Amino acid sequence: MSQKIQVRYDNKIVAFFVLASIFWAGAAFLAGVLAALQLAYWPFNFELEWLTFSRIRPLHTNAAIFAFAGNAIFAGMYHSTQRLLKTRLFSDALSWIHFWGWQLIILSAAITLPLGFSQSKEYAELEWPIDIAITLIWVVFALNFFGTIVKRKEKHIYVAIWFYIATIVTVAVLHIVNSLEIPVGFLQSYPIFGGVQDALVQWWYGHNAVAFFLTTPFLGLMYYYIPKAVNRPVYSYRLSIVHFWSLVFIYIWAGPHHLLYTSLPDWAQTLGMIFSLMLWAPSWGGMINGLLTLRGAWHLLRTDPIVKFLVTAVTFYGMSTFEGPLLSIKSVSLLAHYSDWIIAHVHGGALGWNGFLSFGMFYYIIPKIWKTKMYSTRLMNYHFWIGLSGILIYYISMWASGITQGLMWRAIDDSGYLVYPDFVETVMQIAPLYWVRAVGGILYLTGYVLAVYNIVKTIKSANALEADETVEVNATVDLSVDKSEGFHRRLEGMVTIFSVLVFLSIAVGSILEIVPTLSIHKYVPQSDEVLPYTALEQAGRDVFVTEGCYVCHSQQIQKHVSDVLRYGPASTIGESIYDHPFQWGSKRTGPDLARVGRKYPDLWHFRHMMNPRSMVEKSIMPSYPWLLDKKVDFYSLRKKLSVLKMVGVPYTDEQVAQADRWAEAQADEVAASLAKEGVEGEIKGTKLVALIAYLQALGKKSKDDEKAKAHLELVPGGGGEQ
Amino acid sequence: MEDDKNLMLDHEYDGIQELDNNLPNWWLWTFFGAIIFAFLYWIHYDVSQSGPTLDQELAQGIARVEQHRKNAQSSGGGEEVSEEEMLAAGQTVFRNYCAACHGQKGEGGVGPNLTDGYWIYEKGAPDTIKGLVTKGILDKGMPAWESMLKPNEIDAVVKYVSSIRNTNEKGKEPQGNKVDE
């Protein structure tokens, strides 16, 4: 018999992460409910820039993913890892740097996003100083985690740990590659990738944020908390092996399914679709293992609220991972993409899978580490049923909305015309469903409030947190390779090799998809080449990004008849070649803008931005009156254009050096056209003028366009020649 | 359940044990089926290129739409529409699409006043208005409505616009030249 020693599990860090997650969940849910109400009834935007939908929505997604789910993951990982490896976390110092660092990152996100500091890349909106902080804290986390593995008192690592390793390795790769950007100021930067490259990298990141931040860590948690909660063995070890490796290998390829029918090359779209289909079974492997672990313990589903939460979470995981491959089929995507069906899909995952798994886990952990019982089982049950009703109402209303609007967008009648050519008509049709959705969100929030009350009561009635939990474990563990073990069993004892294999598994798909695309701009046909934005247009583009217009407006006309009839010729690769960042968008709450340039007069845009209802009576778009009060910093355009030149936009030295005067000359032109139409006041230097210049340039940057060419001539000193 | 004892592995982590059940057959077939389908799909569209590219699909779709439009036009004109019906239809189109810029009564706003007898581009005769509506004045922000409106809708709205000129609604100042009847 080997000697025993005592180790102390760190429960305090777990408690802090649990409470942080619960705290930020409130922020995420409140922002979500506000956003839902804003879509139902536009006056809820309050004409305040930092409360406007286009800034609240990134706040909502970031809070839900990185603050609520992020802290929940860290809580569960630190709680389960110590127990699965029979050792205390590697370093208390690293644990606390991780905790406070992460909270500071969230706090800085909560401040900068409403203020409009954003890169506009979904779930990667945070600006470069915060990107660097995330990288550093992630490294701290990784050191702490792998350090814990090194000092483990258990030879083999359990399947939960496999998923944690995949999470840590892959999120690091995703975050670093997608955050390659060059600063132009303290809180602004341009990504080094542009156009189609940026789109591909972003959705490789975006989809795998779902995969490796919202799926693999939660599968790991599932593998610990379900067997613990029901006290039954995991259903199938070999299924764990097969679905783990296939999931990790296949998931990374699926990103391009966010870009079907766009100007992304066909081969990449095909890969995105077929790998998404192949992902169905590996995903369901996790669900099967989770659900069948309950064999012999199904009665707990009636009596134990924790089991209700966990099992329902896994069920939603099964639904989402069936729906995901379905939505990736090109023809289904054509109906669903840009519509609320996608919103339904992600909320099934976020509220059902991530949310319920987190709450089930909290209800498991809290009484354990505070050495007490939950204050009220009845409140847990209420939370479950109210929350579940909320999810279902949300899901079903957004299905109905998405499918309705998708069908309306695409309806073409016998005489070859769009049945609903007026975009706002399709919005009016689904507006009532936005109220229904808000009800769903409010119910989910209500369940959360009950949880908070229940948890506060529980903690108050407990004696104290058991900050350090002492257990007896073997003093030493023999890590030498045992030849009698099977291949994978041996691998489970060799964590370095295991981690390298994980890295290689995700590297294959990443490299094969992204690398060929990096040279794609060389092959754009000359006829597709466009002129770069003028300095003023670029300034307007920054306004577009800051305000978050991409949240509701795409700039990508799909290669499909209905899109072409509605918006004009399909978008080409060449047209977005100088777009750093790309603005293809992912949702059309309003119409596509890829060819909105010169479709309406300047005055139309002026009035529309001040009050959209003045031009489109039924519009649900927020007003942006502050754009008339805010000034463009013309001087900063020199720096901005020089950075863009560095990443490949063909500006001349003259254009960069004279960027401010160039922009002012064009601003004079726009202001004069508006003054002629009766707009009063000194508007030349306003952000609104810059934004109008940008909107009027969309789809109008062809090399043969006289007006676009004339705008290049506005550079003082005649720097117009390319 | 009886077999669980035989399937139990000697793995144990914090009290969690593992069974070693076989992979469910239906699950395996889902997996293999998806892989086979994916492979065939890839061969069809990307390797042998026997399937159409998205550009080809789009071109076919556009051709179909144009054929539909042609058919509709040649078979159209069957039923006679009365003057009043056409004006009423024109007014509806005007309110839905034109009024945002030209005002509810055509008094102007972002776009010019259509009721004052002054014309910037054309002479205000139905045949010249139709060209403006169809092709637009893109540089000034008048969209080309041919992509949005059907031919009979364009005819109706042109008729309506012709009918409101010289009604002299109070609105935007006259622009362009006075055109006499």
Side-chain angles (χ1 to χ4, degrees):
Chain A
M1 242 8 251
S2 65
Q3 264 202 316
K4 296 280 181 183
I5 53 160
Q6 288 194 331
V7 295
R8 295 174 308 129
Y9 294 153
D10 186 353
N11 282 344
K12 195 172 170 194
I13 189 73
V14 176
F16 269 65
F17 272 118
V18 166
L19 296 177
S21 173
I22 293 170
F23 175 78
W24 292 117
F29 300 163
L30 273 177
V33 167
L34 175 61
L37 290 171
Q38 288 172 331
L39 288 184
Y41 187 58
W42 62 267
F44 279 123
N45 288 289
F46 303 112
E47 294 207 4
L48 289 172
E49 52 177 309
W50 42 275
L51 271 187
T52 293
F53 178 79
S54 48
R55 296 199 192 169
I56 287 296
R57 194 262 189 178
L59 184 72
H60 165 61
T61 53
N62 278 276
I65 299 171
F66 300 109
F68 169 48
N71 279 309
I73 294 165
F74 300 140
M77 281 167 91
Y78 278 170
H79 179 256
S80 59
T81 299
Q82 298 184 81
R83 285 152 181 84
L84 289 168
L85 301 178
K86 295 223 166 64
T87 183
R88 189 183 177 85
L89 291 171
F90 173 62
S91 154
D92 285 8
L94 289 180
S95 298
W96 290 105
I97 294 171
H98 176 196
F99 178 80
W100 288 112
W102 195 256
Q103 308 318 314
L104 276 177
I105 287 166
I106 295 169
L107 192 65
S108 55
I111 294 168
T112 56
L113 289 175
L115 290 178
F117 297 107
S118 165
Q119 299 190 49
S120 82
K121 297 177 75 159
E122 289 180 56
Y123 333 124
E125 287 93 343
L126 301 174
E127 267 300 348
W128 65 271
I130 310 176
D131 277 343
I132 293 174
I134 293 171
T135 311
L136 294 177
I137 294 301
W138 201 262
V139 169
V140 167
F141 171 43
L143 284 176
N144 205 19
F145 182 81
F146 284 105
T148 310
I149 290 185
V150 168
K151 57 178 254 201
R152 70 189 186 277
K153 296 285 181 259
E154 182 80 68
K155 179 176 176 185
H156 300 99
I157 52 169
Y158 175 57
V159 52
I161 305 288
W162 313 348
F163 278 104
Y164 300 161
I165 290 173
T167 302
I168 293 175
V169 170
T170 315
V171 169
V173 175
L174 293 168
H175 173 69
I176 290 171
V177 174
N178 193 41
S179 299
L180 294 173
E181 63 228 7
I182 299 181
V184 293
F186 171 52
L187 282 173
Q188 201 195 346
S189 61
Y190 293 132
I192 66 164
F193 303 118
V196 67
Q197 298 167 349
D198 199 35
L200 184 66
V201 169
Q202 158 61 25
W203 284 114
W204 164 80
Y205 165 89
H207 187 73
N208 288 302
V210 175
F212 290 91
F213 207 89
L214 299 176
T215 304
T216 54
F218 282 90
L219 282 170
L221 299 175
M222 176 196 86
Y223 271 113
Y224 181 77
Y225 291 99
I226 285 192
K228 290 298 277 185
V230 303
N231 199 21
R232 295 277 311 154
V234 173
Y235 173 68
S236 171
Y237 166 68
R238 66 182 73 183
L239 182 59
S240 298
I241 296 173
V242 175
H243 102 93
F244 171 78
W245 288 105
S246 52
L247 189 92
V248 168
F249 177 78
I250 293 175
Y251 229 131
I252 203 87
W253 295 75
H257 70 216
H258 289 256
L259 300 168
L260 300 180
Y261 287 94
T262 66
S263 52
L264 180 75
D266 284 16
W267 64 265
Q269 298 189 30
T270 299
L271 289 181
M273 171 183 150
I274 61 179
F275 275 87
S276 303
L277 287 178
M278 289 190 279
L279 195 53
W280 176 22
S283 303
W284 271 24
M287 176 188 70
I288 294 168
N289 244 352
L291 292 182
L292 292 189
T293 295
L294 263 87
R295 288 180 327 146
W298 285 109
H299 60 279
L300 290 175
L301 201 48
R302 278 200 307 276
T303 53
D304 185 345
I306 293 174
V307 177
K308 284 183 202 174
F309 273 102
L310 297 178
V311 168
T312 309
V314 176
T315 310
F316 273 108
Y317 175 64
M319 279 172 66
S320 299
T321 53
F322 172 73
E323 195 181 28
L326 176 72
L327 287 168
S328 307
I329 296 170
K330 281 187 187 164
S331 44
V332 181
S333 167
L334 195 60
L335 173 65
H337 196 46
Y338 302 122
S339 87
D340 286 321
W341 190 350
I342 307 301
I343 312 299
H345 173 60
V346 299
H347 283 84
L351 302 175
W353 163 237
N354 303 123
F356 269 23
L357 197 89
S358 300
F359 286 118
M361 180 179 86
F362 297 155
Y363 286 136
Y364 176 89
I365 293 178
I366 288 171
K368 285 248 181 328
I369 63 177
W370 264 278
K371 298 205 109 175
T372 180
K373 286 196 334 193
M374 281 306 295
Y375 166 72
S376 163
T377 305
R378 174 180 292 207
L379 279 179
M380 287 158 77
N381 277 316
Y382 282 155
H383 175 196
F384 174 78
W385 287 111
I386 294 173
L388 181 60
S389 326
I391 302 173
L392 291 177
I393 290 171
Y394 192 113
Y395 218 147
I396 292 166
S397 62
M398 288 298 96
W399 268 336
S401 167
I403 293 171
T404 305
Q405 201 179 23
L407 288 172
M408 289 177 87
W409 286 340
R410 276 150 188 100
I412 299 174
D413 67 15
D414 289 341
S415 58
Y417 286 85
L418 292 172
V419 181
Y420 309 99
D422 201 6
F423 189 91
V424 77
E425 203 179 343
T426 70
V427 178
M428 294 325 296
Q429 192 69 35
I430 59 169
L433 290 167
Y434 283 156
W435 285 109
V436 179
R437 180 253 301 269
V439 170
I442 289 167
L443 283 175
Y444 197 81
L445 179 64
T446 309
Y448 162 80
V449 171
L450 297 181
V452 170
Y453 177 77
N454 200 2
I455 287 166
V456 168
K457 280 289 199 185
T458 305
I459 293 175
K460 276 198 168 159
S461 68
N463 283 327
L465 172 71
E466 191 187 18
D468 296 298
E469 186 179 328
T470 309
V471 288
E472 239 180 28
V473 301
N474 290 336
T476 54
V477 56
D478 176 15
L479 291 179
S480 63
V481 177
D482 178 355
K483 295 274 195 237
S484 69
E485 289 177 339
F487 169 74
H488 201 273
R489 192 65 181 158
R490 264 184 274 166
L491 195 59
E492 289 158 29
M494 302 187 280
V495 178
T496 311
I497 297 177
F498 190 98
S499 305
V500 170
L501 286 178
V502 167
F503 174 77
L504 292 177
S505 302
I506 59 130
V508 173
S510 306
I511 291 169
L512 288 181
E513 272 183 3
I514 293 175
V515 170
T517 324
L518 294 184
S519 55
I520 207 167
H521 283 178
K522 286 187 205 141
Y523 304 107
V524 170
Q526 279 213 316
S527 57
D528 274 4
E529 280 180 22
V530 293
L531 298 169
Y533 297 111
T534 65
L536 185 69
E537 288 157 9
Q538 184 58 43
R541 195 165 201 278
D542 289 347
V543 176
F544 192 92
V545 166
T546 291
E547 297 304 336
C549 307
Y550 66 93
V551 165
C552 293
H553 295 281
S554 58
Q555 285 186 27
Q556 183 71 201
I557 301 171
Q558 289 182 302
K559 293 180 179 177
H560 185 257
V561 181
S562 58
D563 245 37
V564 169
L565 290 184
R566 189 179 294 278
Y567 302 115
S571 294
T572 63
I573 288 188
E575 284 172 312
S576 53
I577 195 168
Y578 302 133
D579 287 8
H580 295 261
F582 82 115
Q583 291 290 299
W584 292 9
S586 63
K587 173 75 175 68
R588 285 176 181 162
T589 304
D592 186 272
L593 300 180
R595 300 202 187 281
V596 80
R598 289 182 230 153
K599 189 172 173 191
Y600 305 105
D602 291 352
L603 183 62
W604 188 97
H605 285 294
F606 182 87
R607 291 192 181 167
H608 187 251
M609 293 309 298
M610 301 303 286
N611 175 16
R613 261 71 47 199
S614 67
M615 301 316 303
V616 182
E617 197 191 340
K618 301 287 187 189
S619 173
I620 63 169
M621 177 171 141
S623 307
Y624 289 82
W626 56 88
L627 294 181
L628 197 56
D629 305 324
K630 300 205 159 197
K631 302 285 182 224
V632 172
D633 177 5
F634 286 113
Y635 192 74
S636 72
L637 287 168
R638 293 188 189 181
K639 170 83 179 170
K640 288 177 177 176
L641 263 56
S642 76
V643 167
L644 287 168
K645 188 172 184 213
M646 206 190 305
V647 294
V649 183
Y651 288 120
T652 63
D653 291 340
E654 188 79 17
Q655 286 169 331
V656 173
Q658 302 284 350
D660 46 339
R661 290 165 66 197
W662 183 17
E664 287 197 62
Q666 196 184 347
D668 278 333
E669 210 183 87
V670 179
S673 100
L674 288 167
K676 215 172 84 187
E677 296 290 331
V679 174
E680 288 167 5
E682 182 56 50
I683 58 167
K684 175 190 142 184
T686 63
K687 289 195 165 185
L688 186 50
V689 164
L691 179 62
I692 291 174
Y694 172 61
L695 292 172
Q696 297 291 36
L698 288 175
K700 295 288 175 192
K701 297 304 289 184
S702 145
K703 282 198 161 162
D704 308 321
D705 190 279
E706 291 304 325
K707 205 158 182 172
K709 281 197 282 191
H711 282 147
L712 291 180
E713 302 295 332
L714 291 171
V715 184
E721 285 307 309
Q722 287 288 304
Chain B
M1 298 294 293
E2 288 302 304
D3 302 335
D4 279 7
K5 264 182 226 132
N6 307 326
L7 291 169
M8 191 71 81
L9 297 166
D10 63 345
H11 304 175
E12 196 257 278
Y13 307 89
D14 194 30
I16 299 175
Q17 292 182 293
E18 291 185 296
L19 296 168
D20 200 18
N21 277 296
N22 272 325
L23 308 175
N25 277 331
W26 65 267
W27 180 85
L28 274 175
W29 283 115
T30 316
F31 197 16
F32 294 149
I35 292 171
I36 292 165
F37 174 83
F39 185 72
L40 295 176
Y41 187 95
W42 181 61
I43 296 283
H44 180 54
Y45 282 100
D46 284 307
V47 181
S48 74
Q49 303 203 333
S50 45
T53 64
L54 290 181
D55 286 325
Q56 288 164 347
E57 257 178 57
L58 174 60
Q60 289 161 4
I62 295 288
R64 263 199 311 276
V65 160
E66 270 161 13
Q67 192 57 46
H68 279 294
R69 288 186 179 186
K70 244 188 234 155
N71 294 347
Q73 221 148 31
S74 54
S75 69
E79 69 271 40
E80 271 306 310
V81 185
S82 78
E83 194 90 342
E84 289 79 43
E85 279 172 345
M86 198 155 163
L87 271 179
Q91 189 176 29
T92 310
V93 173
F94 188 86
R95 292 207 168 141
N96 284 345
Y97 299 105
C98 316
C101 288
H102 293 288
Q104 282 295 323
K105 295 175 176 164
E107 73 276 16
V110 167
N113 191 329
L114 302 178
T115 63
D116 57 10
Y118 286 78
W119 293 85
I120 305 172
Y121 296 101
E122 299 287 355
K123 300 188 186 66
D127 52 333
T128 63
I129 297 175
K130 184 166 179 178
L132 284 181
V133 174
T134 321
K135 299 289 177 199
I137 316 279
L138 296 182
D139 273 358
K140 296 289 174 188
M142 170 79 174
W145 289 98
E146 63 182 347
S147 60
M148 290 261 281
L149 299 178
K150 301 178 187 183
N152 60 346
E153 289 176 317
I154 290 181
D155 288 342
V157 80
V158 166
K159 193 161 192 80
Y160 175 76
V161 170
S162 310
S163 79
I164 58 171
R165 76 176 158 155
N166 293 328
T167 54
N168 292 315
E169 290 291 340
K170 256 191 142 35
K172 200 164 188 180
E173 292 303 307
Q175 295 161 284
N177 304 314
K178 178 85 176 142
V179 175
D180 294 319
E181 288 299 306

